[in-house]
Short mmCIF file of all heavy atoms in Angstrom, two decimals:
data_model
loop_
_atom_site.label_atom_id
_atom_site.label_comp_id
_atom_site.label_asym_id
_atom_site.label_seq_id
_atom_site.Cartn_x
_atom_site.Cartn_y
_atom_site.Cartn_z
N LYS A 153 102.10 156.62 13.99
CA LYS A 153 102.32 157.00 15.48
C LYS A 153 103.16 155.93 16.14
O LYS A 153 102.83 154.69 16.25
CB LYS A 153 100.82 156.94 16.12
CG LYS A 153 100.81 157.26 17.50
CD LYS A 153 99.46 157.36 18.10
CE LYS A 153 99.36 157.86 19.58
NZ LYS A 153 97.99 157.91 20.06
N HIS A 154 104.33 156.37 16.74
CA HIS A 154 105.04 155.55 17.49
C HIS A 154 104.57 155.32 18.82
O HIS A 154 104.06 156.24 19.56
CB HIS A 154 106.52 156.23 17.63
CG HIS A 154 107.32 156.35 16.34
ND1 HIS A 154 108.44 155.67 16.12
CD2 HIS A 154 106.97 156.95 15.19
CE1 HIS A 154 108.87 155.86 14.85
NE2 HIS A 154 107.94 156.73 14.43
N MET A 155 104.68 154.08 19.32
CA MET A 155 104.03 153.77 20.64
C MET A 155 104.99 153.43 21.73
O MET A 155 104.63 153.26 22.96
CB MET A 155 103.20 152.47 20.41
CG MET A 155 102.05 152.67 19.39
SD MET A 155 101.00 154.00 19.78
CE MET A 155 100.24 153.39 21.33
N GLY A 156 106.31 153.41 21.45
CA GLY A 156 107.25 153.08 22.51
C GLY A 156 107.14 151.72 23.17
O GLY A 156 107.45 151.50 24.25
N ILE A 157 106.56 150.83 22.40
CA ILE A 157 106.41 149.36 22.85
C ILE A 157 107.34 148.55 22.14
O ILE A 157 107.48 148.58 20.87
CB ILE A 157 104.94 149.03 22.47
CG1 ILE A 157 103.93 149.82 23.31
CG2 ILE A 157 104.77 147.50 22.87
CD1 ILE A 157 102.48 149.56 22.99
N ASP A 158 108.01 147.63 22.93
CA ASP A 158 108.90 146.67 22.30
C ASP A 158 108.18 145.65 21.55
O ASP A 158 107.32 145.00 22.06
CB ASP A 158 109.75 146.06 23.37
CG ASP A 158 110.90 145.17 22.85
OD1 ASP A 158 111.88 145.69 22.43
OD2 ASP A 158 110.57 143.90 22.91
N ALA A 159 108.70 145.41 20.29
CA ALA A 159 107.96 144.43 19.39
C ALA A 159 108.02 143.01 19.96
O ALA A 159 106.93 142.25 19.83
CB ALA A 159 108.44 144.53 18.03
N LEU A 160 109.10 142.51 20.49
CA LEU A 160 109.09 141.21 21.05
C LEU A 160 108.22 141.12 22.27
O LEU A 160 107.62 140.02 22.28
CB LEU A 160 110.57 140.90 21.42
CG LEU A 160 110.85 139.55 21.99
CD1 LEU A 160 110.32 138.41 21.09
CD2 LEU A 160 112.26 139.30 22.33
N TRP A 161 108.31 142.01 23.20
CA TRP A 161 107.37 142.01 24.31
C TRP A 161 105.90 141.90 23.83
O TRP A 161 105.07 141.20 24.40
CB TRP A 161 107.55 143.21 25.17
CG TRP A 161 106.64 143.24 26.33
CD1 TRP A 161 106.72 142.63 27.64
CD2 TRP A 161 105.26 143.87 26.38
NE1 TRP A 161 105.56 142.81 28.34
CE2 TRP A 161 104.75 143.62 27.65
CE3 TRP A 161 104.60 144.57 25.36
CZ2 TRP A 161 103.46 144.02 27.92
CZ3 TRP A 161 103.25 145.11 25.87
CH2 TRP A 161 102.75 144.64 27.02
N TRP A 162 105.58 142.74 22.87
CA TRP A 162 104.22 142.72 22.39
C TRP A 162 103.78 141.49 21.69
O TRP A 162 102.71 141.06 21.92
CB TRP A 162 103.91 143.90 21.34
CG TRP A 162 102.61 144.13 20.77
CD1 TRP A 162 102.27 144.11 19.46
CD2 TRP A 162 101.44 144.19 21.57
NE1 TRP A 162 100.91 144.25 19.34
CE2 TRP A 162 100.35 144.32 20.57
CE3 TRP A 162 101.02 144.33 22.89
CZ2 TRP A 162 99.02 144.52 20.91
CZ3 TRP A 162 99.63 144.37 23.19
CH2 TRP A 162 98.76 144.54 22.28
N ALA A 163 104.76 140.80 20.98
CA ALA A 163 104.41 139.52 20.33
C ALA A 163 104.05 138.49 21.36
O ALA A 163 103.04 137.68 21.27
CB ALA A 163 105.56 139.04 19.54
N LYS A 164 104.81 138.45 22.51
CA LYS A 164 104.60 137.44 23.63
C LYS A 164 103.22 137.81 24.25
O LYS A 164 102.40 136.91 24.67
CB LYS A 164 105.68 137.55 24.65
CG LYS A 164 107.01 137.00 24.06
CD LYS A 164 108.04 137.16 25.08
CE LYS A 164 109.36 136.66 24.62
NZ LYS A 164 110.47 136.81 25.65
N GLU A 165 102.89 139.07 24.51
CA GLU A 165 101.71 139.47 25.06
C GLU A 165 100.51 139.12 24.19
O GLU A 165 99.52 138.65 24.79
CB GLU A 165 101.69 141.06 25.34
CG GLU A 165 100.49 141.61 25.99
CD GLU A 165 100.35 141.14 27.51
OE1 GLU A 165 101.15 140.35 28.01
OE2 GLU A 165 99.25 141.56 28.00
N VAL A 166 100.52 139.43 22.98
CA VAL A 166 99.50 139.08 22.08
C VAL A 166 99.13 137.57 22.08
O VAL A 166 98.02 137.13 22.08
CB VAL A 166 99.91 139.46 20.63
CG1 VAL A 166 99.12 138.73 19.51
CG2 VAL A 166 99.86 141.05 20.38
N GLU A 167 100.19 136.67 22.12
CA GLU A 167 100.05 135.30 22.20
C GLU A 167 99.31 134.92 23.54
O GLU A 167 98.31 134.24 23.53
CB GLU A 167 101.36 134.55 22.13
CG GLU A 167 101.21 133.05 22.31
CD GLU A 167 102.55 132.40 22.21
OE1 GLU A 167 103.48 132.84 22.76
OE2 GLU A 167 102.58 131.18 21.60
N ARG A 168 99.72 135.52 24.60
CA ARG A 168 99.15 135.30 26.00
C ARG A 168 97.64 135.69 25.88
O ARG A 168 96.84 135.02 26.57
CB ARG A 168 99.88 136.14 26.99
CG ARG A 168 99.39 135.79 28.45
CD ARG A 168 100.01 136.70 29.45
NE ARG A 168 99.52 138.13 29.28
CZ ARG A 168 98.41 138.56 29.82
NH1 ARG A 168 97.55 137.74 30.38
NH2 ARG A 168 97.95 139.84 29.59
N LEU A 169 97.28 136.69 25.22
CA LEU A 169 95.95 137.26 25.19
C LEU A 169 95.04 136.31 24.35
O LEU A 169 93.81 136.52 24.35
CB LEU A 169 95.90 138.74 24.68
CG LEU A 169 96.44 139.68 25.63
CD1 LEU A 169 96.63 141.09 24.97
CD2 LEU A 169 95.52 139.88 26.82
N GLY A 170 95.63 135.43 23.54
CA GLY A 170 94.68 134.46 22.66
C GLY A 170 94.74 134.62 21.27
O GLY A 170 93.98 133.96 20.49
N ALA A 171 95.58 135.43 20.71
CA ALA A 171 95.73 135.47 19.22
C ALA A 171 96.15 134.21 18.59
O ALA A 171 96.87 133.41 19.27
CB ALA A 171 96.78 136.58 18.80
N GLY A 172 95.67 133.85 17.45
CA GLY A 172 95.96 132.58 16.85
C GLY A 172 97.08 132.74 15.78
O GLY A 172 97.69 131.62 15.33
N GLU A 173 97.50 133.93 15.44
CA GLU A 173 98.42 134.11 14.36
C GLU A 173 99.06 135.51 14.56
O GLU A 173 98.31 136.41 14.97
CB GLU A 173 98.00 133.88 13.08
CG GLU A 173 98.87 133.65 11.91
CD GLU A 173 98.30 132.97 10.72
OE1 GLU A 173 97.02 133.24 10.56
OE2 GLU A 173 99.02 132.21 9.96
N LEU A 174 100.26 135.75 14.14
CA LEU A 174 100.94 137.03 14.09
C LEU A 174 101.37 137.40 12.66
O LEU A 174 102.02 136.59 11.97
CB LEU A 174 102.08 137.16 15.04
CG LEU A 174 101.78 137.22 16.47
CD1 LEU A 174 103.14 137.08 17.26
CD2 LEU A 174 101.17 138.52 16.88
N CYS A 175 101.12 138.54 12.24
CA CYS A 175 101.66 139.06 10.94
C CYS A 175 102.59 140.14 11.27
O CYS A 175 102.22 141.23 11.76
CB CYS A 175 100.49 139.51 10.03
SG CYS A 175 101.11 140.07 8.31
N ILE A 176 103.87 139.87 10.97
CA ILE A 176 104.97 140.77 11.40
C ILE A 176 105.36 141.61 10.10
O ILE A 176 105.95 141.06 9.17
CB ILE A 176 106.22 139.98 11.84
CG1 ILE A 176 105.77 138.93 12.92
CG2 ILE A 176 107.26 140.95 12.37
CD1 ILE A 176 105.15 139.48 14.04
N ASN A 177 104.97 142.87 10.02
CA ASN A 177 105.26 143.68 8.87
C ASN A 177 106.35 144.75 9.27
O ASN A 177 106.18 145.50 10.10
CB ASN A 177 104.09 144.46 8.48
CG ASN A 177 104.35 145.18 7.14
OD1 ASN A 177 104.84 144.60 6.24
ND2 ASN A 177 103.86 146.43 7.04
N SER A 178 107.56 144.55 8.58
CA SER A 178 108.65 145.49 8.77
C SER A 178 108.29 146.79 7.86
O SER A 178 108.34 146.64 6.68
CB SER A 178 109.98 144.85 8.33
OG SER A 178 111.00 145.85 8.13
N ILE A 179 108.30 147.86 8.52
CA ILE A 179 108.13 149.13 7.70
C ILE A 179 109.35 149.49 7.06
O ILE A 179 109.31 149.99 5.99
CB ILE A 179 107.65 150.21 8.69
CG1 ILE A 179 106.30 149.99 9.34
CG2 ILE A 179 107.74 151.69 8.00
CD1 ILE A 179 105.87 151.09 10.27
N ASP A 180 110.51 149.17 7.65
CA ASP A 180 111.76 149.40 6.90
C ASP A 180 111.87 148.63 5.64
O ASP A 180 112.52 149.12 4.63
CB ASP A 180 112.91 149.03 7.85
CG ASP A 180 112.92 149.78 9.16
OD1 ASP A 180 113.34 150.97 9.16
OD2 ASP A 180 112.56 149.17 10.20
N ALA A 181 111.29 147.52 5.50
CA ALA A 181 111.34 146.73 4.33
C ALA A 181 110.21 146.82 3.48
O ALA A 181 110.32 146.48 2.12
CB ALA A 181 111.53 145.20 4.70
N ASP A 182 109.12 147.34 3.92
CA ASP A 182 107.82 147.42 3.15
C ASP A 182 107.92 148.02 1.69
O ASP A 182 108.46 149.19 1.62
CB ASP A 182 106.77 148.12 3.99
CG ASP A 182 105.42 148.15 3.21
OD1 ASP A 182 104.77 147.20 3.19
OD2 ASP A 182 105.12 149.23 2.70
N GLY A 183 107.64 147.19 0.74
CA GLY A 183 107.63 147.83 -0.59
C GLY A 183 108.99 148.04 -1.21
O GLY A 183 109.12 148.37 -2.44
N THR A 184 110.08 147.78 -0.59
CA THR A 184 111.45 147.92 -1.11
C THR A 184 111.79 146.81 -2.05
O THR A 184 112.69 147.10 -2.93
CB THR A 184 112.46 147.95 0.01
OG1 THR A 184 112.50 146.68 0.68
CG2 THR A 184 112.17 149.11 1.06
N LYS A 185 111.23 145.67 -1.90
CA LYS A 185 111.53 144.48 -2.80
C LYS A 185 113.04 143.96 -2.45
O LYS A 185 113.67 143.36 -3.33
CB LYS A 185 111.29 144.67 -4.16
CG LYS A 185 109.84 145.00 -4.42
CD LYS A 185 109.45 144.84 -5.95
CE LYS A 185 110.00 145.96 -6.76
NZ LYS A 185 109.51 145.88 -8.21
N ASP A 186 113.59 144.41 -1.37
CA ASP A 186 114.92 143.98 -1.02
C ASP A 186 114.96 142.69 -0.14
O ASP A 186 116.08 142.32 0.31
CB ASP A 186 115.65 145.15 -0.25
CG ASP A 186 115.92 146.33 -1.22
OD1 ASP A 186 116.11 146.11 -2.43
OD2 ASP A 186 116.02 147.49 -0.60
N GLY A 187 113.80 142.15 0.13
CA GLY A 187 113.78 140.94 1.03
C GLY A 187 113.15 141.30 2.33
O GLY A 187 113.08 142.46 2.77
N TYR A 188 112.66 140.28 2.97
CA TYR A 188 112.02 140.41 4.35
C TYR A 188 113.08 140.79 5.39
O TYR A 188 114.30 140.59 5.32
CB TYR A 188 111.29 139.14 4.69
CG TYR A 188 110.17 138.72 3.78
CD1 TYR A 188 110.47 137.79 2.75
CD2 TYR A 188 108.90 139.20 4.04
CE1 TYR A 188 109.39 137.47 1.89
CE2 TYR A 188 107.87 138.74 3.25
CZ TYR A 188 108.16 137.93 2.13
OH TYR A 188 107.11 137.53 1.27
N GLU A 189 112.59 141.32 6.48
CA GLU A 189 113.48 141.68 7.58
C GLU A 189 113.59 140.37 8.42
O GLU A 189 112.83 140.06 9.33
CB GLU A 189 112.91 142.80 8.52
CG GLU A 189 113.82 143.81 8.93
CD GLU A 189 114.66 143.41 10.08
OE1 GLU A 189 114.96 142.08 10.25
OE2 GLU A 189 115.18 144.17 10.83
N LEU A 190 114.65 139.55 8.07
CA LEU A 190 114.66 138.18 8.57
C LEU A 190 115.10 138.15 10.00
O LEU A 190 114.74 137.25 10.73
CB LEU A 190 115.60 137.41 7.72
CG LEU A 190 115.32 137.10 6.29
CD1 LEU A 190 116.47 136.46 5.57
CD2 LEU A 190 113.90 136.46 6.18
N THR A 191 115.85 139.13 10.50
CA THR A 191 116.26 139.15 11.90
C THR A 191 114.97 139.27 12.75
O THR A 191 114.80 138.67 13.80
CB THR A 191 117.26 140.32 12.13
OG1 THR A 191 118.31 140.06 11.32
CG2 THR A 191 117.65 140.40 13.62
N LEU A 192 114.20 140.25 12.36
CA LEU A 192 112.99 140.51 13.14
C LEU A 192 112.02 139.27 13.06
O LEU A 192 111.50 138.81 14.17
CB LEU A 192 112.25 141.72 12.46
CG LEU A 192 110.77 142.03 12.93
CD1 LEU A 192 110.76 142.28 14.44
CD2 LEU A 192 110.20 143.05 12.13
N THR A 193 111.81 138.75 11.84
CA THR A 193 110.91 137.57 11.69
C THR A 193 111.43 136.45 12.59
O THR A 193 110.59 135.77 13.28
CB THR A 193 110.88 137.11 10.22
OG1 THR A 193 110.46 138.29 9.51
CG2 THR A 193 109.96 135.99 9.99
N ARG A 194 112.73 136.09 12.53
CA ARG A 194 113.33 135.02 13.33
C ARG A 194 113.17 135.23 14.75
O ARG A 194 112.82 134.39 15.62
CB ARG A 194 114.71 134.78 12.90
CG ARG A 194 115.43 133.60 13.60
CD ARG A 194 114.83 132.21 13.27
NE ARG A 194 115.53 131.23 13.94
CZ ARG A 194 116.36 130.44 13.27
NH1 ARG A 194 116.71 130.63 12.03
NH2 ARG A 194 116.99 129.43 13.88
N LEU A 195 113.34 136.52 15.13
CA LEU A 195 113.33 136.83 16.64
C LEU A 195 111.96 136.52 17.14
O LEU A 195 111.77 135.91 18.27
CB LEU A 195 113.60 138.32 16.82
CG LEU A 195 113.42 138.93 18.23
CD1 LEU A 195 114.57 138.36 19.07
CD2 LEU A 195 113.49 140.45 18.19
N ILE A 196 110.93 136.91 16.53
CA ILE A 196 109.55 136.69 17.02
C ILE A 196 109.17 135.16 16.85
O ILE A 196 108.67 134.58 17.74
CB ILE A 196 108.51 137.50 16.01
CG1 ILE A 196 108.81 138.98 16.14
CG2 ILE A 196 107.13 137.22 16.60
CD1 ILE A 196 108.70 139.61 17.44
N ALA A 197 109.59 134.56 15.66
CA ALA A 197 109.27 133.18 15.52
C ALA A 197 109.82 132.26 16.62
O ALA A 197 109.19 131.23 17.12
CB ALA A 197 109.68 132.71 14.18
N ASP A 198 111.01 132.61 17.11
CA ASP A 198 111.73 131.82 18.07
C ASP A 198 111.23 132.02 19.48
O ASP A 198 111.47 131.29 20.40
CB ASP A 198 113.33 132.16 18.05
CG ASP A 198 113.96 131.57 16.94
OD1 ASP A 198 113.45 130.66 16.23
OD2 ASP A 198 115.05 131.93 16.65
N ASN A 199 110.33 133.06 19.66
CA ASN A 199 109.88 133.36 20.99
C ASN A 199 108.36 133.24 21.21
O ASN A 199 107.95 133.51 22.31
CB ASN A 199 110.33 134.80 21.36
CG ASN A 199 111.77 134.80 21.75
OD1 ASN A 199 112.13 134.59 22.80
ND2 ASN A 199 112.63 135.24 20.78
N VAL A 200 107.62 132.77 20.29
CA VAL A 200 106.30 132.51 20.37
C VAL A 200 105.88 131.14 19.80
O VAL A 200 106.71 130.61 19.02
CB VAL A 200 105.32 133.62 19.77
CG1 VAL A 200 105.59 134.98 20.36
CG2 VAL A 200 105.50 133.61 18.22
N ARG A 201 104.75 130.61 20.12
CA ARG A 201 104.44 129.23 19.62
C ARG A 201 103.35 129.44 18.49
O ARG A 201 103.05 128.13 17.92
CB ARG A 201 103.82 128.37 20.72
CG ARG A 201 104.93 128.12 21.92
CD ARG A 201 104.33 127.25 23.09
NE ARG A 201 103.17 127.92 23.73
CZ ARG A 201 103.36 128.89 24.57
NH1 ARG A 201 104.57 129.29 25.02
NH2 ARG A 201 102.33 129.54 25.20
N ILE A 202 102.76 130.52 18.28
CA ILE A 202 101.80 130.49 17.20
C ILE A 202 102.42 130.94 15.94
O ILE A 202 103.51 131.32 15.80
CB ILE A 202 100.69 131.67 17.60
CG1 ILE A 202 101.31 132.99 17.99
CG2 ILE A 202 99.92 131.20 18.75
CD1 ILE A 202 100.42 134.06 18.25
N PRO A 203 101.71 130.62 14.77
CA PRO A 203 102.27 130.84 13.44
C PRO A 203 102.59 132.27 13.31
O PRO A 203 101.93 133.21 13.64
CB PRO A 203 101.23 130.29 12.55
CG PRO A 203 100.37 129.43 13.37
CD PRO A 203 100.37 130.00 14.68
N ILE A 204 103.60 132.48 12.42
CA ILE A 204 104.15 133.84 12.04
C ILE A 204 104.06 133.96 10.57
O ILE A 204 104.43 133.16 9.84
CB ILE A 204 105.63 133.97 12.48
CG1 ILE A 204 105.76 133.94 14.04
CG2 ILE A 204 106.07 135.35 12.09
CD1 ILE A 204 104.94 134.93 14.85
#
Side-chain angles (χ1 to χ4, degrees):
K153 185 174 182 179
H154 292 246
M155 297 305 294
I157 296 173
D158 185 78
L160 179 57
W161 176 85
W162 179 236
K164 294 176 180 178
E165 179 68 1
V166 160
E167 179 181 37
R168 185 188 70 80
L169 289 168
E173 197 163 29
L174 285 172
C175 183
I176 313 300
N177 188 46
S178 166
I179 295 177
D180 299 289
D182 181 73
T184 64
K185 299 196 289 187
D186 292 333
Y188 297 93
E189 222 284 24
L190 298 178
T191 302
L192 170 64
T193 305
R194 180 65 177 259
L195 176 68
I196 302 299
D198 283 346
N199 283 279
V200 299
R201 297 179 298 278
I202 56 179
I204 299 299

